[in-house]
Amino acid sequence: MKMNMKYLAVFFCALFLLLSSCKEESQQRDAENKKAAQKKEVIYKNISKGWDFYATPINTTSEQSVASWTEFRQFLDELGQKPRKTIGAFQKKAAELSKKVLLLNSNIPYQFQQPQIKSRIGTLITKVRLLDLFIHLDNIPDKKVIVLVGEINAELVSLQRQMDKITEKSKIPVEEGESEMLRMLDTTRAIPSTTIDPNLPRVE
């Protein structure tokens, strides 16, 4: 009888220790989950605050291009739609932007099929895909994401300014050609027309 009581005491003692251990592990796990949720909320707020893209054309050339360049318009439209409520919404948006930006490289309008434009689109693609990569990491580097948003904006401005330069430059040759022709006409008129009399004696 005494032996049974001894075994029962050991059993209850072990059971108590086991339950205490499980309770501590559960509390620790809850604390870790709470900490992770708080960290995720901070990351979400930081990214939400810094997610501010230049989705509006900055010059006349860009405005005209938006009307005719479907892929460029769709990319800007996508940039202009800010995600809400969850970090998952930002992840989905980044993935969609990554798809849209790739289309710019394969459908460049004829007048912009120049190395300066292609290089800027290439850089823009790299930045957007990096954004997509970083925001899908388990431990999201929110500061890097915000920096990338700024870099994407800078590349967008650079691309649109280069588009404007090309458009303005395309008008110059016509104007120069016309003025050159006018100058030649004026010079021709300024030369006096002289007729040589064949009967005049030649000086040798």
Side-chain angles (χ1 to χ4, degrees):
M1 185 73 177
K2 288 181 179 180
M3 288 293 293
N4 288 339
M5 291 294 291
K6 186 177 179 181
Y7 286 135
L8 281 172
V10 171
F11 172 76
F12 282 117
C13 185
L15 183 62
F16 175 77
L17 290 173
L18 180 64
L19 290 172
S20 297
S21 175
C22 289
K23 187 177 180 181
E24 285 177 6
E25 286 179 6
S26 178
Q27 288 174 341
Q28 185 178 356
R29 189 163 53 249
D30 289 343
E32 288 174 356
N33 289 340
K34 187 177 180 181
K35 189 177 179 180
Q38 288 173 342
K39 185 179 179 182
K40 197 171 182 180
E41 182 65 20
V42 170
I43 288 172
Y44 165 77
K45 286 180 178 178
N46 289 341
I47 291 176
S48 182
K49 187 178 179 182
W51 194 280
D52 187 18
F53 288 106
Y54 300 161
T56 306
I58 65 168
N59 52 44
T60 305
T61 299
S62 299
E63 289 174 357
Q64 292 171 348
S65 297
V66 163
S68 58
W69 188 1
T70 304
E71 290 74 18
F72 185 56
R73 182 179 69 252
Q74 290 177 345
F75 179 65
L76 291 182
D77 286 346
E78 201 69 47
L79 283 177
Q81 298 168 17
K82 187 173 180 177
R84 304 288 178 189
K85 296 182 179 179
T86 65
I87 197 68
F90 283 95
Q91 290 172 332
K92 286 180 182 178
K93 176 60 66 177
E96 195 59 34
L97 285 171
S98 191
K99 291 177 186 175
K100 289 283 194 296
V101 76
L102 283 172
L103 296 176
L104 294 178
N105 200 36
S106 57
N107 290 286
I108 304 172
Y110 177 77
Q111 69 270 28
F112 298 136
Q113 288 182 12
Q114 299 189 25
Q116 306 96 311
I117 295 294
K118 290 180 179 180
S119 66
R120 282 166 174 78
I121 289 176
T123 305
L124 186 60
I125 288 172
T126 301
K127 300 290 183 184
V128 172
R129 298 195 76 182
L130 273 175
L131 175 72
D132 186 25
L133 173 66
F134 285 152
I135 207 167
H136 277 92
L137 294 175
D138 291 334
N139 189 15
I140 300 172
D142 50 322
K143 290 180 181 177
K144 287 185 178 180
V145 169
I146 294 165
V147 167
L148 274 169
V149 169
E151 290 178 354
I152 289 168
N153 281 334
E155 292 303 326
L156 264 175
V157 170
S158 177
L159 172 63
Q160 292 178 78
R161 284 178 178 165
Q162 188 61 44
M163 287 161 59
D164 193 49
K165 278 184 183 178
I166 290 170
T167 302
E168 290 303 313
K169 194 175 179 181
S170 69
K171 299 172 186 177
I172 294 172
V174 176
E175 293 170 359
E176 281 187 348
E178 288 175 351
S179 60
E180 186 68 27
M181 189 176 291
L182 288 172
R183 280 199 299 272
M184 287 174 66
L185 287 171
D186 288 340
T187 307
T188 306
R189 292 193 196 104
I191 298 172
S193 56
T194 56
T195 54
I196 300 173
D197 190 348
N199 297 319
L200 287 175
R202 293 184 181 181
V203 179
E204 294 183 3

